[in-house]
Amino acid sequence: MESTTNTGIISFLGAEQGPWKIASMQTLIGAPLPEASCLNIQQGAITPDHDSDAKWVLHGFISNLRYTHRSEKTMLDEHSKPLGRPEYNAAALIPIQKSKEWWNLAQDERRRIFEEDSKHIQQSAEFLTFISRQLHHSKDLGEGFDFLTWFEFSSEHTEQFDALCAILRKTEEWQYVTREIDIRLLKQ
Amino acid sequence: MESTTNTGIISFLGAEQGPWKIASMQTLIGAPLPEASCLNIQQGAITPDHDSDAKWVLHGFISNLRYTHRSEKTMLDEHSKPLGRPEYNAAALIPIQKSKEWWNLAQDERRRIFEEDSKHIQQSAEFLTFISRQLHHSKDLGEGFDFLTWFEFSSEHTEQFDALCAILRKTEEWQYVTREIDIRLLKQ
């Protein structure tokens, strides 16, 4: 029978054990998540059992580009490095939710805010030589967040990562953010 | 515990019983689906049991607009009618898969092919006064199709629906279609 369910989904579990130690969880906008000690990342749509040590689980999937133009993709690809580099001993999971107003905008309106106004791509690009990232989409799964943004970097670049976050949080795009939790991680 | 799994997913089941009788299944491109008598549509990510009468199940979700500009949305909204009208005794489920080449294009390249070249929105608009539709996304779930397109209309407008399909299948956009099955349905 043709039936393939959710094979593209990735689960982020806040738990007692896992390869990433949670160094801090800062709720910037909206409702917090329960405190957890570690982060586990697993393929598939995991729903923990009652006897699991998970405090929360967030689901997302990797998708195609939604706003990036060809010239921008070429530029980003030149700057970007893959995840999982040995020197990347730090990471950040920043789940984000945007408002209904954002999602009701048409494609050209969202693109204009995202890049022409907020310069999300242009301002991020220079950081990508030492900060690698992967976007996961959550909204279409009916989750409490719309995006699970994931970053890896060397802990010596933590200040630069903070600077990138500060730049993005000042943009017009961020006025549509209704929930954001900044979870910082260290590789165990 | 914060854990919300796949509440946005809709399941289309080809089965022996259901509110829509399958009048025909025409495989236009790529692998066929097994024959089935009826179509059931259910909320949630259904995976049928062994003793189910389902021959296949396809999963999708409704999402935000990906290509439509504000001026086009305004025009489409003026033409569009909601699904489920009493006179709509016919429907079509047309699952579609597009090539890797399509998905590797940047947003501006896909938009140009979709509308500036293929006029997908402009050519469809006039039909929407008597054909209602809903797009469901599947690709990000790892399904065998990328889209589950759904249309409802009165059977007296079948020729016009065929004409709309013929227009779209001649476009540049359709050169990227790698699998397409045209499933026609009658309300029981």
Side-chain angles (χ1 to χ4, degrees):
Chain A
M1 187 180 64
E2 180 147 342
S3 171
T4 318
T5 311
N6 310 338
T7 54
I9 293 178
I10 298 164
S11 299
F12 294 81
L13 293 95
E16 291 306 303
Q17 308 243 322
W20 291 98
K21 180 176 163 52
I22 295 179
S24 65
M25 289 179 62
Q26 193 185 358
T27 302
L28 298 168
I29 312 172
L33 282 172
E35 294 290 324
S37 305
C38 297
L39 182 77
N40 266 301
I41 304 172
Q42 294 186 34
Q43 294 292 320
I46 307 288
T47 308
D49 304 316
H50 272 294
D51 58 356
S52 161
D53 68 350
K55 307 296 183 193
W56 42 264
V57 57
L58 307 175
H59 303 100
F61 54 76
I62 297 170
S63 188
N64 59 291
L65 297 174
R66 304 282 171 89
Y67 300 106
T68 311
H69 289 183
R70 169 57 58 185
S71 58
E72 294 159 348
K73 182 177 188 314
T74 302
M75 183 266 291
L76 290 173
D77 287 348
E78 280 169 10
H79 286 72
S80 300
K81 292 194 168 66
L83 298 170
R85 289 163 71 88
E87 69 269 32
Y88 287 168
N89 61 337
L93 172 67
I94 309 186
I96 287 169
Q97 184 189 56
K98 284 179 173 173
S99 65
K100 280 190 185 172
E101 187 190 355
W102 171 264
W103 293 113
N104 286 334
L105 293 173
Q107 176 69 26
D108 57 335
E109 295 170 318
R110 279 180 278 107
R111 158 72 200 190
R112 189 166 55 241
I113 294 165
F114 178 85
E115 190 57 24
E116 278 70 28
D117 294 343
S118 301
K119 302 187 183 0
H120 188 128
I121 296 167
Q122 190 184 313
Q123 297 197 94
S124 304
E126 64 177 292
F127 293 89
L128 297 183
T129 53
F130 51 90
I131 300 170
S132 297
R133 88 294 187 214
Q134 180 63 59
L135 177 64
H136 307 84
H137 295 260
S138 288
K139 177 172 182 287
D140 294 319
L141 301 175
E143 295 270 313
F145 295 96
D146 296 342
F147 304 101
L148 309 178
T149 68
W150 175 258
F151 305 89
E152 292 178 15
F153 47 93
S154 162
S155 55
E156 70 187 36
H157 289 129
T158 300
E159 276 186 38
Q160 286 92 330
F161 181 69
D162 290 338
L164 171 59
C165 292
I167 287 169
L168 291 172
R169 287 174 184 143
K170 279 184 199 148
T171 60
E172 189 186 339
E173 182 194 352
W174 240 254
Q175 294 180 24
Y176 294 86
V177 173
T178 48
R179 192 176 180 196
E180 179 179 9
I181 303 178
D182 188 332
I183 305 170
R184 298 299 177 95
L185 305 143
L186 292 169
K187 200 179 271 175
Q188 307 226 66
Chain B
M1 187 180 64
E2 181 148 341
S3 171
T4 319
T5 311
N6 310 339
T7 54
I9 293 178
I10 298 165
S11 299
F12 294 81
L13 294 96
E16 291 306 303
Q17 308 243 322
W20 292 96
K21 181 178 163 49
I22 296 180
S24 65
M25 289 180 62
Q26 193 184 358
T27 301
L28 298 168
I29 312 173
L33 283 171
E35 294 290 323
S37 305
C38 297
L39 181 78
N40 266 300
I41 305 172
Q42 294 187 34
Q43 293 293 319
I46 307 289
T47 307
D49 302 317
H50 273 293
D51 58 354
S52 160
D53 69 350
K55 306 295 184 194
W56 43 262
V57 56
L58 306 175
H59 303 101
F61 54 76
I62 297 169
S63 187
N64 59 290
L65 297 175
R66 304 279 171 92
Y67 300 106
T68 312
H69 289 182
R70 170 57 58 187
S71 58
E72 294 158 349
K73 182 178 188 313
T74 302
M75 181 267 291
L76 290 173
D77 287 348
E78 280 168 9
H79 285 72
S80 300
K81 292 193 170 65
L83 298 170
R85 289 163 70 89
E87 69 270 30
Y88 287 167
N89 61 337
L93 172 66
I94 309 186
I96 287 169
Q97 185 190 54
K98 284 180 173 172
S99 66
K100 280 190 184 173
E101 187 190 355
W102 171 263
W103 293 112
N104 285 334
L105 294 173
Q107 176 68 26
D108 57 334
E109 295 171 317
R110 279 180 277 106
R111 159 70 199 189
R112 188 166 55 241
I113 294 165
F114 179 84
E115 190 56 24
E116 278 70 28
D117 294 342
S118 302
K119 301 188 185 355
H120 187 129
I121 296 168
Q122 189 184 311
Q123 296 197 95
S124 304
E126 65 178 291
F127 293 91
L128 297 182
T129 53
F130 53 88
I131 300 170
S132 296
R133 90 293 187 215
Q134 180 63 59
L135 177 64
H136 307 84
H137 295 261
S138 289
K139 176 172 181 288
D140 294 319
L141 301 175
E143 295 270 314
F145 296 96
D146 297 341
F147 304 102
L148 309 177
T149 67
W150 174 259
F151 305 88
E152 292 178 14
F153 47 94
S154 163
S155 54
E156 70 187 36
H157 289 130
T158 300
E159 275 185 38
Q160 287 93 330
F161 181 70
D162 289 338
L164 171 59
C165 292
I167 287 169
L168 292 172
R169 287 173 184 146
K170 279 183 199 149
T171 60
E172 188 185 338
E173 183 195 351
W174 241 254
Q175 295 181 21
Y176 295 86
V177 173
T178 49
R179 193 176 179 195
E180 179 179 11
I181 304 179
D182 187 332
I183 304 170
R184 299 299 176 94
L185 305 142
L186 292 169
K187 200 180 272 175
Q188 307 226 67

